[in-house]
Structures are given as C-alpha cells and as structure tokens.
Amino acid sequence: MQHAEILERAVKLAKKGAGYVEPNPRVGAVVVKDGQVVGEGWHSSYGGPHAEVVALAQAGEKARGADLYVTLEPCSTVGKTDACTHAILATGISRVIYACKDPSAANGGKARSALTAAGIEVVKVDSTPACDELITSFAAYTKRTLPWTILKWAMSADGKVATTSGDARWISCDESRREGHEERARADAVIVGRATVKADDPELTVRMGVKGRNPVRVIFDTGLHIGLESKVVLTAAQAPTWVLHAPDVDARRKPALEALGVKLVEIPKGPSGRIDPVLALRHLRDQGLHRLLVEGGPTIHGALVDARCADWIRVYMAPMLLGGVLAPGPVAGMGVPTLEDAVTMTDCHVRVVGTHDFCLEGRVSRHREA
C-alpha cells in the first residue's frame, strides 16, 4: 500500500467527524503492519478520544512495530484528552507518517521532536488538498478570538418554531431531542435568551439517558429580568449558570441571583440596544468556553447571524405544518435585503432522524474574521 492510498483512507475517516469535533480539527488515522490495515479511527466527538488513540486501540498488540498514518501531526500537549504522543510511545509504533503540520503554536512541530527523541521514525509527507481542507477551519480558529458557535433549532416543514400561541413542545421527535442532549454533552456552553427561559422554563442540562457533563448554561438577558423562580436559577448551585447582562441594570436584582449561585457577567450593549453578541462570545472564549450550542430563540439566533458569529447550523425539521403569519420562525434579526446577501451553508448533510424528522446541517460560509 502506498502513502497516498493510505492517507486517502484516513481522509475519508476524518470527514465522519464533521460537525461533531469542531473547533478541534477533523483527523483520521490508520495503523498498517506488513502491508495490512490493522487499526483505524477518526476523531468523532469534541472532547472525545483522538483519531490516533482510536486506531491504536483497535490495532491492539498489532500496533507494536507498525506504521501509524495520520492526516495531521499528532498532538503532544495535554488538553481535554492526554497527548497522542504518549499513546504512540506506549504502544510500540515504529514509524509515524503524517501529512499536515499542526497549525497551532502550542503543538506545531513538537510531536516530531518528542517521538524522534524516543527512537520513533517520523515522516512528514507532502500534504494533499483533501488533507489541507480538513484543517482549514481549525487553522482559522487558532487565529481568531471567537468560539465555535452552533445554532440548533427544531421547526415545522413550513419553517415555524412554535404555533401562534407559542406552543413548541414538542415539534421534533424523541430521537431528535436525544441528539440535542448529545450535543449539549459535547458543548462547553449552551446558550438561550431570556425570552426562551420565560416561555419554556428549560433546564438546559444533559438528560434523556445521555451520559456526559452538563455544559455551562448561559442566558443572554440585557435588562437582567430573569425570574428567580426559573429552573436555571433555582438549580444554579447544581449546574453552572451565567447570566450576561448590560451595565445599566437594576443593581437591586443582583444579590438574590448571586445568592442562588448565578454568575453575573456585564457585557456592553451593541447598536441594537441589546448586549453586544460579539463581545459576549469573545468573553466566553476568554473564559475557556470554545464550543457553544445556541438553542434559541429567534432573537438570539438573529443577533448571531446578523453579527456573522455562527459557524455551524443544525436544523431538525418535522413533517407538520403550523401556519400563521404571527407564528415565529427560527431566525429573527435584521435579515438581508437581497438573496446575494444571504448567509449560506456549505459542507451540508441531510439525514433522517427517527421515523420522520429530517436533519439538515452544515458549515456557515461567511464568518466574522476576528
């Protein structure tokens, strides 16, 4: 088997992680011994095991003396997972072949030094357009100041997220809702606006049998009007809860919220008169929150789309019609004047969820650079 053939296989594996691993890069790995593939894997979930670790685990004892092919230079630093170089050293791999150098300053070029010092041969082969494309978003992310932001909503076939009376439970099926909880478990933070808290009183925790930690619950609430009786406030001592508000709020409301465990964060207002979404997201990344799941509603979705802060869209569409001029759609905001100004999606995927829901997801092609 030739280098190019094996790396092509690794690229196909890596693509399976699209939408689930960001802002981490999509990576595929293949373990080859005596010309035969004995293990393979891909990075399948943000915070989950990296491609190299999955491939080495599948190879087991056959990894000793084998070659490890990776689309991207293995990581050599400890983050949400242990360094992949540690796993490589522990399994007795004799040679590592990779296509792309890691673009991050914290890791780029360091794997070669660590592995070579331990007697492992390291080969950097010429990359391919397919390998380069896998890390395009990751390379851009290392240079910008905003977190990776996913907008997720469920809607009817005619594009409504609730009826004219506000009834929205449940538009999507159980299987779609479970996927939403799985996404929460992958996220560093889940975000809604105060209107969603008032209308739905959500818990914003990981449930429905899904295992994983609860994300930080973030509520955009310009005027700090969130009710003390809401579930997110009453359970703030059990699950981290942050309320982002403008500077000019009634300070008398703060002590009761803080006493219940809510973290209050002051964010300046933007041109809309609400808290500035760019400054809000930049603050969240500064606090170490890199993958954000925005669950609504239309106002916050619209603000983030207007500000070009969304990276990925995941839409669950149910086969029902709600109708009504006043029934809300999923994205409010200022909108665009022409179709040429539309925010478009690329790398799109459509699949059936459960017995009848459709999920459309894809990367947002126009994003704020900073």
Side-chain angles (χ1 to χ4, degrees), residues 11 25 43 98 170 183 209 212 229 279 282 363:
V11 167
H43 186 27
Y98 68 93
W170 298 100
E183 184 57 57
E229 73 288 350
L279 297 181
R282 190 167 291 150
R363 198 178 309 271

Side-chain angles (χ1 to χ4, degrees), residues 307-352:
R308 299 294 190 266
C309 290
D311 292 281
W312 191 268
I313 306 294
R314 182 170 288 126
V315 181
Y316 293 93
M317 186 174 70
M320 62 175 71
L321 302 176
L322 301 184
V325 175
L326 298 180
V331 181
M334 297 295 294
V336 296
T338 69
L339 290 177
E340 291 183 353
D341 298 308
V343 176
T344 57
M345 296 163 58
T346 61
D347 195 19
C348 292
H349 309 276
V350 179
R351 54 191 171 84
V352 177

